Every structure is written in C-alpha cells, then in structure tokens.
Amino acid sequence: MAGTRADWDGQAADYDQAMRPFERHAFARARAWLCSRAHGDVLDVAAGTGANLPHYPPGCRVTMVDYSGPMLARARHRDTRVRVALCQSDAHRLPFLDRSFDAAVCALSLTLLGGGPAFAEIRRVLRPGGHLLVLEHVHARRHAWRPVHEAGFRVAGRRRLLLGLVRAVDLSL
C-alpha cells in the first residue's frame, strides 16, 4: 500500500476538510452512482473516513475496511441509512471467509492498493456474481487497472464525469 499507516493516521483529523471541495465538485455524484449499484453485504475497501456511507441504499450491510484506525474512527460519526461494521485491516490480507460479500467498493484507492494481492483478496471474499465497484480519477493510469483485470473482473458498466476526469466502474466476476 502507498504511504505508511502512520501517514494515514496523521491525516485522519484533517482529511474530510481537505477533501470537501473535491467531494462537492467531483466525487459526490460518482459515489452516488457507484454505491447505488451495491446491495446486500458490501465490503468497502480502503474506506477511510467513510465518504461512501451516505450514498449506500437502505438495506445494505456495509463492512468498512481500512488499515488506519483513526480514519475508521472518523467514519463512526457519518450519517448513514445502512448498518455499518468497522474493521482495521490490510486489504492484502482480508480477515473474512470466502464468499462473504455481494459487492465490494474501492473508491479513490485503486493506486493505493498497489498490485494484485488486494484484488485477489477481494475476488476471494465476493460471492459468485459479485461486483467490484471502483471510483477513480484519471491519475489512475492503465497499469493500475491491470491487477483488477488479472483477478478476473470484467467491466459491466461505467460512468465518466467531469469531462472524463472521474470514472466510476462496475466490474463483475
């Protein structure tokens, strides 16, 4: 993963404030589209402070995973319409049984997760027919998507926003 745990722990207190303009003008609509495609048991990978939480439809049961405890602690205070569980863990070694989730969400963390182990883990914990929902900005170059495709995910839907600068992608197994 890019950055150390201490780096992310140190950013937790100011992260939401620093991201507020980007959320309002770039990411909120994309998160809404992405999270609307989630259902059932959802794994939110590298969930940070929980910016996705307000966008999940009622009925979802969301498990947020992040390797920064202070980031997850900030997520506890988000308004949400869904049931939420928090789990401090590394995405490369998810502490869940095989086939535990109907969907996984990875928002603005594709490049942070690095190579294939995280996406192989996500595939492992998804049920057959599960979806990986990814939100990224153009900074995520083509090579960043390679581990996703190598893990067996295929594009089922996509949406480009802000003249293509932000992408929301629905990938299926």
Side-chain angles (χ1 to χ4, degrees):
M1 288 188 141
T4 66
R5 181 171 285 151
D7 292 337
W8 288 107
D9 289 354
Q11 291 183 39
D14 300 321
Y15 187 80
D16 288 333
Q17 183 176 344
M19 290 297 292
R20 190 166 288 123
F22 300 103
E23 284 295 331
R24 188 176 313 124
H25 299 294
F27 302 132
R29 283 184 34 218
R31 285 185 198 279
W33 180 83
L34 197 72
C35 293
S36 74
R37 300 175 79 85
H39 67 280
D41 296 312
V42 180
L43 179 64
D44 194 326
V45 181
T49 63
N52 291 328
L53 285 175
H55 302 287
Y56 286 113
C60 286
R61 293 165 304 280
V62 179
T63 301
M64 296 177 55
V65 173
D66 199 281
Y67 81 154
S68 169
M71 286 281 195
L72 287 173
R74 309 266 319 162
R76 282 189 215 286
H77 306 290
R78 290 264 185 194
D79 288 332
T80 183
R81 303 170 297 188
V82 297
R83 195 170 79 203
V84 179
L86 305 177
C87 177
Q88 185 177 351
S89 178
D90 185 332
H92 294 114
R93 289 178 297 283
L94 294 170
F96 307 108
L97 297 174
D98 294 359
R99 301 178 175 189
S100 296
F101 297 94
D102 298 300
V105 174
C106 179
L108 304 175
S109 53
L110 185 66
T111 56
L112 296 175
L113 293 176
F119 298 101
E121 278 291 278
I122 291 169
R123 180 188 172 113
R124 179 185 65 77
V125 301
L126 281 176
R127 294 181 179 125
H131 285 255
L132 170 59
L133 304 162
V134 178
L135 170 62
E136 271 310 328
H137 45 77
V138 281
H139 180 69
R141 301 286 182 230
R142 198 175 286 207
H143 71 276
W145 290 90
R146 187 174 300 129
V148 176
H149 297 299
E150 288 173 354
F153 292 99
R154 300 291 173 251
V155 175
R158 72 177 80 208
R159 185 167 214 180
R160 290 176 178 253
L161 300 158
L162 289 175
L163 303 173
L165 295 176
V166 176
R167 269 190 279 194
V169 183
D170 179 347
L171 298 136
S172 62
L173 289 175

